[in-house]
Amino acid sequence: MKIISDIQDLRDQLRGQNRAVFIPTMGNLHEGHLSLMRLARQHGDPVIASIFVNRLQFGPNEDFDKYPRTFEADVEKLEKEGVYVLFAPTEKDLYPEPQEYRVEPPQNLGKILEGEFRPGFFEGVCTVVLKLFSCVQPKVAVFGKKDYQQLMVIRQMCRQLALPVDIVPAETIRAEDGLALSSRNGYLSAEERSEAVQLIQTLKEIQEKVLQGKLTSADILKIEKDACAKLNARGWVPDYISVRKRNDLLSANDADLSSNQPLVVLAAAKLGKTRLIDNLEI
């Protein structure tokens, strides 16, 4: 595996590779990331990964400096997965001057859910992903469905900007008890780790209630409110638990519910100092 930090060196290395498949990461790799590498091989060749902790998507009170950086261990894992090139730019490589040009998603997608609680997050994500796509010029890119809203934002950005990149979604990889794998799980204490499974359990309970059918939008609101109260009583601090339409992440009205629109329930909540997110399609 070649490790490259310079953009021009990367382009020279990948010249003529018109079926490259790309997986952008922020490092601290776990089995969820590695599953993306394996899926990528089914959609193109060669496989290109990147590691870059993107300052633009961190808010002023978030954990940019504390975000775990495990580069040597990450390299070893990527080599075992047969990754062809690891693009690992420094901030000076990727942002040699202040990144004044930004990509802002539309408000009806970028300012709801995660966008509401993490202002500027999706602008930072879109900006760095567009720049990484420009550097790598892949045919295909793979993104996990654990970050459900992010996947939709990136997919719509590619469509509206006519980017020649096919976005492939990957199913969420979970621990044996159901907890979605995440780099931030490492922040959890042993006690918190045992409690963390309650997030997916809550989503499964909501899924079961919705699948029983004949619910109104008022019923959905009560289910969401009750779920937040239940987690709150266990010591969580929920940002949101929300049932949305899969196609646009807007709330489902009575007509949507009666016509069996495909739905997804999304959640974000803090357990101690760690903020966890998850989702479940309905």
Side-chain angles (χ1 to χ4, degrees):
M1 182 177 74
K2 295 179 172 61
I3 302 173
I4 299 175
S5 60
D6 181 77
I7 293 174
Q8 189 56 55
D9 289 348
L10 177 73
R11 288 174 173 162
D12 290 344
Q13 180 67 40
L14 297 180
R15 186 169 289 115
Q17 300 281 8
N18 58 10
R19 293 184 62 249
V21 57
F22 178 48
I23 308 95
T25 83
M26 293 205 301
N28 193 28
L29 303 182
H30 51 67
E31 182 60 28
H33 295 107
L34 302 181
S35 72
L36 303 184
M37 310 296 161
R38 296 168 201 143
L39 178 62
R41 283 200 297 271
Q42 301 174 28
H43 292 273
D45 182 66
V47 175
I48 316 300
S50 68
I51 293 177
F52 181 71
V53 184
N54 177 40
R55 188 185 296 271
L56 298 186
Q57 68 194 64
F58 286 79
N61 298 315
E62 294 184 335
D63 54 357
F64 175 79
D65 291 324
K66 294 181 180 178
Y67 194 86
R69 292 158 171 84
T70 54
F71 188 76
E72 290 184 5
D74 294 343
V75 166
E76 187 175 332
K77 292 173 182 176
L78 293 176
E79 285 180 332
K80 289 180 180 178
E81 293 300 329
V83 170
Y84 175 60
V85 168
L86 169 60
F87 181 42
T90 65
E91 284 194 288
K92 189 171 289 187
D93 289 315
L94 204 59
Y95 302 133
E97 57 188 83
Q99 188 65 40
E100 296 170 335
Y101 284 83
R102 305 288 184 96
V103 181
E104 184 175 359
Q107 289 196 8
N108 62 353
L109 181 58
K111 297 290 178 69
I112 62 173
L113 301 171
E114 284 297 283
E116 177 183 350
F117 288 91
R118 300 183 67 188
F121 171 70
F122 286 119
E123 178 183 299
V125 167
C126 287
T127 301
V128 75
V129 169
L130 180 60
K131 194 157 193 178
L132 288 170
F133 283 175
S134 175
C135 296
V136 177
Q137 299 180 27
K139 173 67 176 172
V140 176
V142 180
F143 288 83
K145 289 172 74 172
K146 186 182 82 71
D147 297 290
Y148 203 91
Q149 187 176 6
Q150 174 178 278
L151 170 64
M152 183 171 288
V153 166
I154 296 300
R155 181 179 275 157
Q156 291 199 17
M157 178 184 76
C158 290
R159 186 175 68 245
Q160 289 202 7
L161 296 180
L163 302 180
V165 183
D166 295 329
I167 304 300
V168 172
E171 295 298 328
T172 301
I173 302 300
R174 300 183 179 277
E176 288 187 8
D177 62 1
L179 179 67
L181 298 189
S182 168
S183 297
R184 287 189 168 89
N185 292 350
Y187 296 152
L188 298 169
S189 67
E191 183 180 349
E192 289 169 343
R193 175 61 187 82
S194 297
E195 171 65 23
V197 71
Q198 290 300 320
L199 188 59
I200 184 59
Q201 295 293 354
T202 299
L203 298 187
K204 287 180 178 178
E205 290 170 9
I206 293 173
Q207 181 191 51
E208 290 176 8
K209 291 175 182 177
V210 175
L211 286 175
Q212 290 173 3
K214 297 183 179 179
L215 296 178
T216 66
S217 55
D219 295 327
I220 295 292
L221 285 174
K222 185 177 187 308
I223 289 171
E224 295 169 347
K225 183 177 179 181
D226 290 348
C228 284
K230 179 181 176 182
L231 282 183
N232 199 256
R234 298 183 66 95
W236 295 70
V237 181
D239 282 345
Y240 60 83
I241 299 176
S242 189
V243 176
R244 300 294 178 105
K245 293 184 292 181
R246 286 190 217 173
N247 65 335
D248 57 14
L249 293 189
L250 298 181
S251 298
N253 58 33
D254 290 344
D256 295 323
L257 294 170
S258 63
S259 63
N260 295 318
Q261 279 273 353
L263 303 172
V264 58
V265 56
L266 308 103
K270 286 182 180 177
L271 181 59
K273 296 182 179 180
T274 305
R275 186 175 185 272
L276 301 177
I277 67 169
D278 205 345
N279 64 82
L280 197 60
E281 291 181 332
I282 299 174

